[in-house]
Every structure is written in structure tokens, then in C-alpha cells.
């Protein structure tokens, strides 16, 4: 949140963490709806992103990314930043509000 005083970009597992969120915070945006924030997943035999094979599985990097979303949710709550996820298969922390259709936006 001190991005107005110094710019530090952290390398992470996701462009959302390393680039998008710092940029959004720099602009002062407090309400975010993600679109296309995907992980390589196989959730109830439904593959995510552009992976369409039934044998696609979560690998360690994706598991780490998915597990980190609970910390992201807590941080956003503490800093009064609202994030919604436009996806019915994104495996991020279930406390995030979900948008099921772009028509809901």
C-alpha cells in the first residue's frame, strides 16, 4: 500500500500478484473483478483455463498459488479492497465473492 512512496515488484507465481495488483493499487482502485484468473485445475472433472484434457491435474506450483489465495483474501479484507472472481471453476479461496456471468457485472 506504500506504492506511492516506492515501487517494489515482487516476482510470484502469478501475473496477478507480480504486476496486476501493484498496478491496480497504484491507480487507487479498491473494487476488482478478475476475469481469466485461472489455474491449471481439474475440479470435479471440469478442466480450467485452456486445458481440456481430463487428466490435467494440479501440480505443486498451482497448489501453492491456490493456497496463497486465502492470504490474499485476508489482506484485501484488512485493506478494504473488494475482489470478485468471474468464474465458476477458479479454485481460489471460497470466501471470495463469485460472479457467474459477465451480465452480473
Amino acid at each position: 500500500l506504500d506504492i506511492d512512496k516506492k515501487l517494489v515488484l515482487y516476482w510470484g507465481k502469478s501475473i496477478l500478484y507480480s504486476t496486476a495488483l501493484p498496478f491496480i493499487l497504484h491507480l487507487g482502485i479498491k473494487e476488482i473483478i478478475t476475469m481469466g484468473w485461472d489455474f491449471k485445475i481439474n475440479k470435479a472433472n471440469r478442466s480450467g483455463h485452456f486445458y481440456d484434457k481430463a487428466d490435467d491435474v494440479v501440480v505443486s506450483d498451482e497448489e501453492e498459488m491456490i493456497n496463497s489465495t486465502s492470504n490474499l483474501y485476508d489482506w484485501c479484507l484488512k485493506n478494504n479492497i473488494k475482489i470478485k472472481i468471474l468464474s465458476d471453476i477458479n479454485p481460489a479461496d471460497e470466501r471470495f465473492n463469485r460472479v457467474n456471468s459477465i451480465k452480473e457485472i
Side-chain angles (χ1 to χ4, degrees), residues 5-45:
K5 297 177 186 116
K6 63 181 178 178
L7 180 59
V8 179
L9 295 178
Y10 298 97
W11 290 91
K13 302 289 182 193
S14 164
I15 194 168
L16 181 75
Y17 287 148
S18 64
T19 305
L21 280 177
F23 179 66
I24 289 166
L25 294 173
H26 178 68
L27 295 175
I29 295 170
K30 296 279 190 172
E31 293 189 31
I32 303 162
I33 300 175
T34 68
M35 298 171 67
W37 180 31
D38 299 326
F39 305 97
K40 181 178 178 181
I41 60 167
N42 185 335
K43 184 176 181 181
N45 293 323

Side-chain angles (χ1 to χ4, degrees), residues 12-94:
K13 302 289 182 193
S14 164
I15 194 168
L16 181 75
Y17 287 148
S18 64
T19 305
L21 280 177
F23 179 66
I24 289 166
L25 294 173
H26 178 68
L27 295 175
I29 295 170
K30 296 279 190 172
E31 293 189 31
I32 303 162
I33 300 175
T34 68
M35 298 171 67
W37 180 31
D38 299 326
F39 305 97
K40 181 178 178 181
I41 60 167
N42 185 335
K43 184 176 181 181
N45 293 323
R46 293 170 52 197
S47 298
H49 199 37
F50 52 83
Y51 306 99
D52 58 5
K53 295 179 184 172
D55 62 349
D56 282 341
V57 295
V58 175
V59 296
S60 61
D61 285 347
E62 283 80 14
E63 287 177 3
E64 184 178 337
M65 185 67 207
I66 292 166
N67 292 338
S68 75
T69 62
S70 63
N71 292 332
L72 175 62
Y73 179 88
D74 293 337
W75 184 87
C76 289
L77 187 64
K78 176 183 172 188
N79 291 285
N80 199 29
I81 297 169
K82 298 176 184 172
I83 297 184
K84 294 180 182 178
I85 299 172
L86 174 59
S87 176
D88 63 347
I89 60 171
N90 181 303
D93 191 294
E94 296 198 5

